[in-house]
Amino acid sequence: MIIKIIMFKIYVAYIIVKYAYRKFFFGTEYANKLFYNLNRHAVVHLLRFNKASIGRNTLIDSPLIIHYKNDDLSKLNIGDNCRISKNCFLDLAENITIHNNCTLAMNVTIITHTDKGESNLGDSLQNSKEGVIVNQGTYIGANVLILQGTTVGKNCLIAAKSLVNKNVSDNSKVLGVPAKKIK
């Protein structure tokens, strides 16, 4: 058992060095590709190394897709006893806070900014960014899209394939595009 623990620590150290090397020489987007194939425990260690706040007993499956423009992941805060499933996309242009005892099922996308790029939309679409908060005890189903500036209340259920574009009150069950309360 001790050998297994030592081997895992060596593996995590190797991943951290590999990430730092990739980030220094090739940039963060290339370095973030390491999150695509890591052991779930190594994902947590690598996120913490990059200044993300990850609570105890939290499991994060890979691939995890992270989009951000700053040098660290300090805008990501995940509480204790959370589960982030495969293929989740986290946009860290602003803070994403996921409180204790939450689950994000497969393919959940959390967007914190809008960038119209070079499009000629004039004033009809502005560049903007706002954080997202998911409060404790919430379950977010597969393929849910959560847009910037939204807060999901405590003990909520967001049904699969829903679009959350407005705040969701505590103890709610919502579904649909856009998500609407069903209970």
Side-chain angles (χ1 to χ4, degrees), residues 57-120:
N57 301 318
T58 290
L59 297 176
I60 302 174
D61 290 333
S62 66
L64 174 67
I65 302 154
I66 296 175
H67 175 68
Y68 70 102
K69 295 179 181 176
N70 51 346
D71 285 338
D72 62 51
L73 300 176
S74 61
K75 292 184 177 183
L76 179 60
N77 300 288
I78 301 174
D80 298 335
N81 306 310
C82 292
R83 174 71 190 266
I84 313 294
S85 296
K86 296 177 183 219
N87 292 318
C88 288
F89 179 95
L90 304 176
D91 169 17
L92 294 176
E94 266 305 324
N95 290 338
I96 295 176
T97 302
I98 301 168
H99 289 278
N100 298 340
N101 305 310
C102 290
T103 299
L104 275 64
M106 295 176 291
N107 301 313
V108 169
T109 299
I110 300 178
I111 302 293
T112 63
H113 83 289
T114 300
D115 182 355
K116 69 178 180 176
E118 302 303 318
S119 61
N120 294 324

Side-chain angles (χ1 to χ4, degrees), residues 5 8 18 32 47 52 64 67 92 104 115 121 155 162 170:
I5 292 170
F8 179 73
K18 188 174 180 179
N32 284 342
L47 289 170
L64 174 67
H67 175 68
L92 294 176
L104 275 64
D115 182 355
L121 295 172
N155 304 312
S162 295
D170 292 351

Side-chain angles (χ1 to χ4, degrees), residues 119-130:
S119 61
N120 294 324
L121 295 172
D123 292 335
S124 63
L125 179 65
Q126 297 297 319
N127 292 343
S128 61
K129 58 183 182 176
E130 289 183 77

